[in-house]
Amino acid sequence: MKTSIRIGTRGSKLALWQANHVADQLTAAGLSPEIVIITTKGDVVLDRSLDKIGAKGVFTEELEEGLRTGYIDIAVHSAKDVQSTIPADLELLAFMERERVNDVVVSFDPNLDLQRPDLVLGTSSTRRKAMLRRFLPHATTAEARGNLQTRLRKLEEGQYHALVLAYAGVHRMEYDGLIRYVLPETQYVPATGQGSVAIECARNLEPALKAELRRVLDHPATHVCLTAERAFLRTMEGGCSIPSFALASLSDDQQTVQLHGGLISLDGQALIEETHTATATDAEALGTRLAESVLARGGRQILDDIRRVRHEA
């Protein structure tokens, strides 16, 4: 088994934090990692929202091509950025231990009032925009693309009163001091995979090496939860460009998994959500079953409406 591992990553500070975190784990296990920076479409096209540039694989496609050619051995992604369906020649090898899953409100104003009538919140997430329209209907949402540092610069320039972001990225970049509100995950249910780092590889990677990488990098409890969440997302057939959400949790004995998931309309007016439970070994079927139930209860109509609006736009 070879011991030198080429790690493919995007070049943002947060992506490099994730890649270095992976590298540290591999080094501790006696392997020799090398970080390779690859630019993706999502890093280049910043003048359009994600749903307008085809969000499927927007942050992963170029990294996946590197896996196919053998230019890199593994690719490191924010799990919430990974498209719902992985190409047949690739696989998600591991999910690293999850950080706190919440969305947070970040601002330079220590006295930020979420109830101010002229509130402007920056976000690039379709899900967050829809939820903010439902739970903070007086607020205006504004597009906020770019890496975390770019978004914070725009915030400092006064383009928004605050940003709505994932806690995990804010914490990893040590901007905790700017967090003004932690949004409850029971209301602002996060995106599939939020808070975890996903490791992708080619299916034909050396079996012994795959087994060792999985041993070193995979967090079994997180893997079960994300298996359920990603099955939900895959069945919804919308990826990160639709306002769906899912959050799984394991029981204390790790034998049972509970999944809360749903879909919200773009204007925030329609919200369909359910909670289902299954054994941990049935996590994938659980995600599929919950999504099918949400679709049957009106989710298909919400998705049809979203596609119609985008087609007309």
Side-chain angles (χ1 to χ4, degrees):
M1 184 184 76
K2 74 169 187 170
T3 58
S4 60
I5 310 296
R6 287 172 63 85
I7 303 170
T9 178
R10 297 164 60 201
S12 72
K13 287 185 179 181
L14 179 56
L16 288 171
W17 182 96
Q18 295 175 164
N20 278 294
H21 180 57
V22 170
D24 289 345
Q25 303 300 309
L26 296 179
T27 298
L31 300 170
S32 301
E34 175 190 354
I35 292 176
V36 180
I37 297 174
I38 296 175
T39 301
T40 70
K41 183 193 298 183
D43 300 309
V44 175
V45 183
L46 299 176
D47 59 345
R48 282 172 280 165
S49 60
L50 292 177
D51 59 275
K52 288 185 170 61
I53 60 175
K56 185 175 181 180
V58 67
F59 292 118
T60 60
E61 189 175 353
E62 290 80 3
L63 289 160
E64 290 181 334
E65 189 56 32
L67 293 172
R68 290 190 178 95
T69 63
Y71 180 59
I72 55 175
D73 298 301
I74 58 174
V76 177
H77 311 291
S78 292
K80 68 182 178 62
D81 291 337
V82 179
Q83 65 269 34
S84 55
T85 302
I86 301 299
D89 57 339
L90 306 175
E91 65 179 287
L92 290 175
L93 180 69
F95 295 110
M96 302 187 75
E97 185 171 6
R98 200 172 208 169
E99 183 55 84
R100 189 174 182 179
V101 300
N102 301 70
D103 287 336
V104 294
V105 179
V106 169
S107 178
F108 289 102
D109 178 2
N111 301 309
L112 178 73
D113 180 5
L114 287 183
Q115 300 307 316
R116 62 182 291 173
D118 61 342
L119 183 67
V120 179
L121 298 172
T123 177
S124 61
S125 162
T126 305
R127 173 189 60 86
R128 291 185 185 124
K129 290 174 186 174
M131 288 185 167
L132 291 168
R133 286 169 186 144
R134 183 176 184 87
F135 299 121
L136 291 174
H138 61 281
T140 299
T141 59
E143 190 67 29
R145 292 289 316 284
N147 61 42
L148 180 55
Q149 287 71 26
T150 297
R151 297 185 201 195
L152 288 173
R153 175 179 53 76
K154 293 177 179 179
L155 175 63
E156 197 165 24
E157 291 170 351
Q159 295 188 31
Y160 332 100
H161 294 114
L163 295 166
V164 184
L165 302 164
Y167 170 84
V170 175
H171 176 65
R172 288 164 179 164
M173 290 291 94
E174 302 181 355
Y175 291 119
D176 301 65
L178 297 177
I179 296 175
R180 305 303 173 211
Y181 297 92
V182 177
L183 300 176
E185 75 278 11
T186 52
Q187 184 178 46
Y188 293 85
V189 186
T192 295
Q194 185 159 302
S196 178
V197 174
I199 311 300
E200 189 177 18
C201 71
R203 284 198 179 274
N204 62 4
L205 189 66
E206 182 184 352
L209 179 57
K210 280 204 289 189
E212 178 66 1
L213 292 171
R214 186 180 293 111
R215 183 190 71 80
V216 173
L217 299 175
D218 192 49
H219 186 250
T222 300
H223 201 125
V224 170
C225 289
L226 265 67
T227 296
E229 292 174 21
R230 286 187 53 77
F232 172 86
L233 182 68
R234 187 165 56 249
T235 307
M236 296 299 290
E237 296 182 351
C240 58
S241 66
I242 66 167
S244 68
F245 50 87
L247 179 61
S249 58
L250 272 179
S251 58
D252 290 341
D253 63 6
Q254 300 198 359
Q255 298 302 303
T256 303
V257 59
Q258 176 179 283
L259 179 63
H260 181 82
L263 183 67
I264 184 170
S265 61
L266 294 178
D267 62 7
Q269 294 300 303
L271 174 64
I272 303 171
E273 54 186 339
E274 296 185 6
T275 302
H276 291 198
T277 303
T279 62
T281 54
D282 200 32
E284 186 166 5
L286 170 66
T288 301
R289 187 164 62 248
L290 191 149
E292 289 174 342
S293 181
V294 168
L295 289 170
R297 287 185 52 223
R300 285 194 181 87
Q301 184 60 55
I302 292 177
L303 290 180
D304 288 344
D305 290 344
I306 290 172
R307 295 185 182 107
R308 176 178 52 76
V309 167
R310 290 179 176 165
H311 178 72
E312 292 174 353

